[in-house]
Amino acid sequence: MSFVEYGDTIKDGDTAIVFLGHESMFPVKVQHGTVTQTKYGVIRHSTDLIGKKYGSKVTCSKGGWVFILHPTPELWTMNLPHRTQILYSTDISIITMMLELKPGSIVCESGTGSGSLSHALIRTVAPSGHLYTVEFHQQRAEKAREEFREHGVEHLVTVTNQDVCKNGFGVSNIADAVFLDIPSPWEAIGHAKSALKAEGGRICSFSPCIEQVQRTCLAMEEYGFTEINTLEILLRVYNVRTISLQIPDLGKAAEDNSSTGFDSSSPSHQGSPCANLQQGTVQFKSGVPLREVVGHTGYLTFATKS
């Protein structure tokens, strides 16, 4: 099992995603002789998982069933154990595009945190690229190394435990892109410039506060970065549902329509709004925004090394 290569069957030691529903899933490490409890009953790894195909429908001990999915960076972002605040797919997608990443790219990242963005970056630069990620906190760095090894991507990533603001990324003039998610990114701009390739490298800084963005932009200008711009990605989700509205009294126009010989019982007209005229209501599909919308996550500042 690897997060960058699809495996057909579930093996002992794999990380799999137990899918109970769109709003209910969790990761599990497959181990011979182990069981996993769900609200639908027990899943026995030896008989229910190992050797089965990913995507299989597994029946639990109480008669309910779940799907077992192959892990992807997107699913991992939704289910990973949180050691820090993480980036989600909305921000990750624009970061990957604006940094112009592709297979073979060299990327520097700080800090590693819970590894949400790291897994997406690794999948994007595979199979010939590399991620150099720096984490200040020693235990988080060690846990990240362990996860990358378990997920079969350790050959694509180097984890370093140090202060990027003081010691940099440990590489020079090789990176196609640099990503910063640290409290004081302006202190690391110089090291980011040193890590980037001679010309054309891209940098992105994620900061929740506009004051951080202002200081970072000033530092980017000081170090000669160009094309500096800041984005904020706000996602608005709509619920699509059927609503019934009363048909207005259109007077003469309605009588003229009835005189045309329209037969609402005709199969060709069944299901149309006019088919419900006798009931005095008509049904429509309507999009309604959620009452609680996820708002600001952070500002994304991009720039280019000239």
Side-chain angles (χ1 to χ4, degrees), residues 15 37 40 50 54 63 147-148 153 166 168 182 187 192 214 237:
T15 298
Q37 296 282 350
Y40 301 125
I50 296 176
Y54 277 106
E147 286 182 349
F148 293 142
V153 297
K166 294 181 180 179
I182 54 178
E187 296 181 0
Q214 292 169 335
V237 179

Side-chain angles (χ1 to χ4, degrees), residues 76 80-86 109-116 118-119 133-149 157-164 181-183:
W76 187 245
L80 58 78
H82 285 227
R83 299 184 288 274
T84 60
Q85 188 66 260
I86 70 168
E109 175 198 25
S110 184
T112 312
S114 301
S116 173
S118 303
H119 282 80
T133 182
V134 177
E135 173 56 51
F136 176 78
H137 194 277
Q138 182 179 357
Q139 290 181 329
R140 288 201 292 263
E142 292 174 353
K143 185 61 179 178
R145 288 193 193 98
E146 179 184 339
E147 286 182 349
F148 293 142
R149 184 169 56 254
V157 56
T158 299
V159 182
T160 305
N161 172 220
Q162 64 187 29
D163 186 350
V164 70
D181 183 6
I182 54 178

Side-chain angles (χ1 to χ4, degrees), residues 13-259:
D14 282 4
T15 298
I17 305 298
V18 180
F19 181 89
L20 292 83
H22 289 291
E23 301 298 328
S24 180
M25 63 184 90
F26 60 89
V28 61
K29 184 174 181 178
V30 180
Q31 293 179 308
H32 185 77
T34 303
V35 298
T36 297
Q37 296 282 350
T38 75
K39 63 181 180 181
Y40 301 125
V42 172
I43 301 174
R44 295 174 175 82
H45 293 200
S46 300
T47 57
D48 297 333
L49 299 183
I50 296 176
K52 299 291 181 65
K53 290 183 178 294
Y54 277 106
S56 297
K57 183 177 179 180
V58 174
T59 302
C60 304
S61 61
K62 293 182 180 179
W65 48 266
V66 299
F67 287 106
I68 308 300
L69 306 181
H70 192 283
T72 65
E74 292 80 9
L75 290 174
W76 187 245
T77 291
M78 297 171 63
N79 295 282
L80 58 78
H82 285 227
R83 299 184 288 274
T84 60
Q85 188 66 260
I86 70 168
L87 290 177
Y88 290 92
S89 296
T90 305
D91 288 318
I92 291 173
S93 60
I94 196 70
I95 290 169
T96 303
M97 184 187 74
M98 295 294 287
L99 289 182
E100 302 173 3
L101 301 182
K102 60 185 181 300
S105 295
I106 306 297
V107 186
C108 292
E109 175 198 25
S110 184
T112 312
S114 301
S116 173
L117 177 64
S118 303
H119 282 80
L121 294 177
I122 291 169
R123 198 262 307 272
T124 302
V125 304
S128 56
H130 201 83
L131 172 66
Y132 295 89
T133 182
V134 177
E135 173 56 51
F136 176 78
H137 194 277
Q138 182 179 357
Q139 290 181 329
R140 288 201 292 263
E142 292 174 353
K143 185 61 179 178
R145 288 193 193 98
E146 179 184 339
E147 286 182 349
F148 293 142
R149 184 169 56 254
E150 291 179 351
H151 298 165
V153 297
E154 71 276 9
H155 62 292
L156 297 170
V157 56
T158 299
V159 182
T160 305
N161 172 220
Q162 64 187 29
D163 186 350
V164 70
C165 296
K166 294 181 180 179
N167 306 113
F169 293 94
V171 297
S172 299
N173 302 319
I174 65 170
D176 297 289
V178 169
F179 177 79
L180 298 173
D181 183 6
I182 54 178
S184 52
W186 55 89
E187 296 181 0
I189 299 300
H191 294 297
K193 184 177 181 179
S194 298
L196 287 168
K197 59 187 182 181
E199 185 177 357
R202 294 279 286 166
I203 184 173
C204 174
S205 174
F206 177 90
S207 297
C209 302
I210 195 64
E211 291 82 6
Q212 293 170 306
V213 174
Q214 292 169 335
R215 296 188 64 174
T216 302
C217 289
L218 290 174
M220 288 178 175
E221 288 183 345
E222 180 182 346
Y223 281 95
F225 284 89
T226 60
E227 300 178 339
I228 302 172
N229 64 89
T230 300
L231 308 176
E232 181 185 24
I233 311 302
L234 299 176
L235 181 66
R236 192 175 190 186
V237 179
Y238 281 76
N239 277 336
V240 178
R241 62 188 186 186
T242 303
I243 62 173
S244 296
L245 297 178
Q246 188 172 6
I247 299 175
D249 184 2
L250 302 178
K252 185 70 165 63
E255 295 177 3
D256 292 342
N257 287 337
S258 62
S259 65

